[in-house]
Amino acid sequence: MGYKNNKTGYRDGLLESRAVIKKNNYAIIPHDGLVNNAVPGFENCRISILGSQHLGASFNDYICEFLPGGQNKLGFGGEGIEVFIYLIKGKLTVSDRQESHELTEGGYVFLPEGELMFMENTSDEMAEAFLYQRRYEPLEGHEAYKVVGNKNNLEPIHYEGMEDVLLWDFLPTDDFGFDMNIHVLQFQPGGSHGYIETHYQEHGAYLLSGQGMYNLDNEWFPVEKGDYIFMARYTQQACYAVGRDEPLAYVYSKDANRNPQ
Ligand code: UGY
Ligand code: MN
């Protein structure tokens, strides 16, 4: 899938993998351990299911390469299910029943429950996207709505006031119609969380660039671009970025604005 391939270890007879799966707590799934899945609606795509209820998540995450001509014409989402797409690479046409949006790198679309998301790669290059779906938790008197944007047009904030950590919010942060948000968090080399977070909310994170060390439940793990990390509710979490060339950045989900059920 275009990432450094540590399956060489397998060929050398070392049988090494960095994957760590602690169901209902945390998981690290390196890119080179992924297999292609057949997922209803996705045609001419290399798609892998990442987070799911079987890991302990309340959402499904996917990483998908739309080959030229790759598409989903059946629709992603539907009754009760909210969906989100973030375009990591290439170009992709993303539509609901009303209109189409031409996404370029950094582009995203959120559709509220009841809508269907259609996708098509009409370019002659592969397009890579991170996809999310979750059963919406309604709140009386409030409603979510479609959001379309591009990370490159947003102004990041300094996460918790730190000079070397930036945060982009993709959905409104002050609207109780939304029961979750998707963000990008970026650490300059040497940058880190200010403390080990311990919180009710869960995360699915896909690493977009760089390398770092991630603390999950008080153990440290090396992580890099292409890894997926699941963090269940209350899993302790923190990281720091290493290397010189690239910041460590990930796109991740976080539930919000609701009482525990
Ligand atoms: O928003 C968050 O809770 C985020 N800072 N968590 C994380 O990066 N593991
Ligand atoms: Mn967190």
Side-chain angles (χ1 to χ4, degrees), residues 121-137:
N121 181 6
T122 57
S123 80
D124 49 16
E125 313 241 308
M126 183 270 281
E128 184 184 30
F130 176 71
L131 289 151
Y132 168 98
Q133 64 170 213
R134 181 171 185 258
R135 183 157 294 280
Y136 179 62
E137 288 178 53

Side-chain angles (χ1 to χ4, degrees), residues 100-141:
S100 290
H101 306 278
E102 301 301 330
L103 297 197
T104 52
E105 201 174 305
Y108 60 88
V109 177
F110 167 84
L111 292 183
E113 69 83 20
E115 300 288 337
L116 281 175
M117 181 180 282
F118 307 98
M119 298 152 251
E120 187 173 12
N121 181 6
T122 57
S123 80
D124 49 16
E125 313 241 308
M126 183 270 281
E128 184 184 30
F130 176 71
L131 289 151
Y132 168 98
Q133 64 170 213
R134 181 171 185 258
R135 183 157 294 280
Y136 179 62
E137 288 178 53
L139 184 67
E140 210 181 317

Side-chain angles (χ1 to χ4, degrees), residues 159 185 193 197-199 201-203 214 231 235 237 250 252 254:
Y159 183 66
L185 192 57
H193 287 86
E197 295 179 6
T198 311
H199 56 67
Q201 294 80 9
E202 56 183 341
H203 300 306
Y214 223 104
M231 295 166 244
T235 294
Q237 52 196 264
Y250 47 86
Y252 72 102
K254 184 172 186 176

